[in-house]
């Protein structure tokens, strides 16, 4: 599973110039100006997962987090009907700047994503303009995924899309990133996460960013200690947003009440 740079040196998250080199607008233009088939499939999965969970649980005080939000607003939109507060947690300064600019009134391209969510009643019957609701409940917080260790059990619903495998070539850091995300959730919190399968890295503008080569078994292994009743599945959509990966993987389920002991072979 280990991936190394062209010089044969493993690239860690701390080695990447996230603040200096990540071109947020170029990444947005390539990935989220239009609703890609893969994202439409992901939206269907997570809207049903969250919608069914909160329909059964009833109404209460709900806090959500999207870890490594980047320039992607649709995970936050997917949590919008139920959350009193949503934290967009992001490390890269250019991405933080973009996110803060979207809170007041997000751009029109996100309407396509909201329309896809509105096939579920909870979204379609929100009762208020989604931009107004977004402005009321969403906040942006700059921080490193590994810093979430200080906030264990804080959030009652969470998402993490294309983050843990897209910030490092290190399998250890990939697994730790997933762990930090899951430990940030309260017991029984529903979650959804997505991963690029067997990614070789990606561009955000001119700069090339690292990725960890992971498959379904790697994602499952990273989650099984912290999640219950969860599924790990490849997307059916066969389109490709870019070169250099084999597909996308979605995982969803609930945070365990306590971490499971995994037997050692």
């Amino acid at each position: 599973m280990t991936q190394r740079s062209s010089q044969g040196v493993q690239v860690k998250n701390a080695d990447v110039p996230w603040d200096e080199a990540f071109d947020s607008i170029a990444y947005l233009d390539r990935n989220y100006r239009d609703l890609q088939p893969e994202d439409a499939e992901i939206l269907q999965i997570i809207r049903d997962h969250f919608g069914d969970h909160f329909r059964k649980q009833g109404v209460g005080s709900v806090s959500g987090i999207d870890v490594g939000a980047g320039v992607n607003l649709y995970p936050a939109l997917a949590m919008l009907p139920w959350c009193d507060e949503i934290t967009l947690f992001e490390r890269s300064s250019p991405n933080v700047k973009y996110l803060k600019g979207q809170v007041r009134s997000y751009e029109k391209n996100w309407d396509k994503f909201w329309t896809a969510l509105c096939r579920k009643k909870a979204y379609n019957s929100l009762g208020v303009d989604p931009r107004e609701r977004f402005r009321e409940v969403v906040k942006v917080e700059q921080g490193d995924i590994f810093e979430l260790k200080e906030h264990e059990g804080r959030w009652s619903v969470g998402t993490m899309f294309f983050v843990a495998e897209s910030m490092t070539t290190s399998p250890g850091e990939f697994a730790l990133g997933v762990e930090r995300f899951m430990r940030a959730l309260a017991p029984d919190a529903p979650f959804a996460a997505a991963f690029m399968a067997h990614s070789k890295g990606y561009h955000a503008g001119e700069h090339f960013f690292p990725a960890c080569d992971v498959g379904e078994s790697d994602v499952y292994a990273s989650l099984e200690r912290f999640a219950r009743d969860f599924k790990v599945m490849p997307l059916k959509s066969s389109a490709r947003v870019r070169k250099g990966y084999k597909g996308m993987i979605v995982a969803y389920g609930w945070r365990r009440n306590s971490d499971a002991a995994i037997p050692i072979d």
Side-chain angles (χ1 to χ4, degrees):
M1 188 170 89
T2 302
Q3 182 183 341
R4 296 179 184 275
S5 72
S6 58
Q7 290 77 33
V9 179
Q10 196 173 87
V11 181
K12 297 290 189 73
N13 179 259
D15 301 327
V16 181
W18 299 107
D19 292 335
E20 299 83 5
F22 199 94
D23 189 332
S24 299
I25 302 306
Y27 192 82
L28 175 73
D29 289 342
R30 184 165 191 169
N31 293 282
Y32 299 119
R33 287 298 180 193
D34 294 305
L35 177 58
Q36 309 277 359
E38 294 95 335
D39 291 319
E41 187 177 347
I42 291 171
L43 285 167
Q44 178 182 347
I45 293 168
I46 61 176
R47 79 180 182 224
D48 291 348
H49 177 48
F50 290 156
D52 291 347
H53 171 85
F54 287 106
R55 176 177 55 82
K56 295 174 183 178
Q57 294 298 315
V59 178
S61 179
V62 178
S63 60
I65 185 171
D66 182 32
V67 174
V71 293
N72 183 6
L73 299 190
Y74 78 67
L77 293 173
M79 295 184 280
L80 198 60
W82 304 283
C83 289
D84 305 294
E85 180 180 275
I86 298 173
T87 300
L88 304 184
F89 193 82
E90 170 59 33
R91 174 173 179 169
S92 167
S93 294
N95 289 341
V96 168
K97 180 179 179 181
Y98 171 81
L99 292 170
K100 288 182 175 180
Q102 295 300 298
V103 170
R104 176 173 293 182
S105 181
Y106 56 76
E107 294 179 288
K108 290 184 178 180
N109 61 295
W110 297 109
D111 292 339
K112 306 166 192 174
F113 297 81
W114 181 253
T115 298
L117 288 167
C118 281
R119 293 171 186 163
K120 191 81 172 178
K121 183 179 178 181
Y123 301 91
N124 196 37
S125 59
L126 185 63
V128 65
D129 184 284
R131 283 180 174 80
E132 179 181 342
R133 178 72 173 165
F134 197 89
R135 184 166 57 249
E136 290 174 350
V137 304
V138 172
K139 67 175 184 177
V140 181
E141 182 176 340
Q142 187 166 18
D144 189 306
I145 188 172
F146 302 120
E147 296 171 356
L148 289 173
K149 182 179 182 180
E150 301 174 4
H151 303 286
E152 291 190 7
R154 176 176 167 182
W155 288 278
S156 41
V157 57
T159 54
M160 183 180 67
F161 279 50
F162 313 116
V163 177
E165 83 292 1
S166 299
M167 64 177 188
T168 180
T169 65
S170 164
E173 284 198 330
F174 162 76
L176 183 58
V178 174
E179 177 179 343
R180 290 288 184 259
F181 165 61
M182 292 301 297
R183 286 184 180 276
L185 303 180
D188 299 319
F191 74 89
F195 306 85
M196 305 298 286
H198 304 296
S199 176
K200 305 304 180 185
Y202 59 100
H203 280 90
E206 296 298 320
H207 198 86
F208 190 74
F209 289 85
C212 190
D213 185 353
V214 300
E216 291 174 60
S217 61
D218 302 306
V219 172
Y220 189 95
S222 72
L223 286 167
E224 63 178 333
R225 182 182 173 191
F226 310 104
R228 66 168 178 83
D229 302 328
F230 71 101
K231 294 184 179 180
V232 176
M233 54 189 288
L235 292 186
K236 298 176 183 177
S237 301
S238 58
R240 289 288 182 269
V241 177
R242 58 171 172 80
K243 295 180 180 180
Y245 72 100
K246 297 295 180 64
M248 296 185 186
I249 301 166
V250 172
Y252 62 98
W254 289 265
R255 175 72 167 101
R256 286 182 181 270
N257 286 322
S258 58
D259 299 343
I262 303 299
I264 299 174
D265 296 331

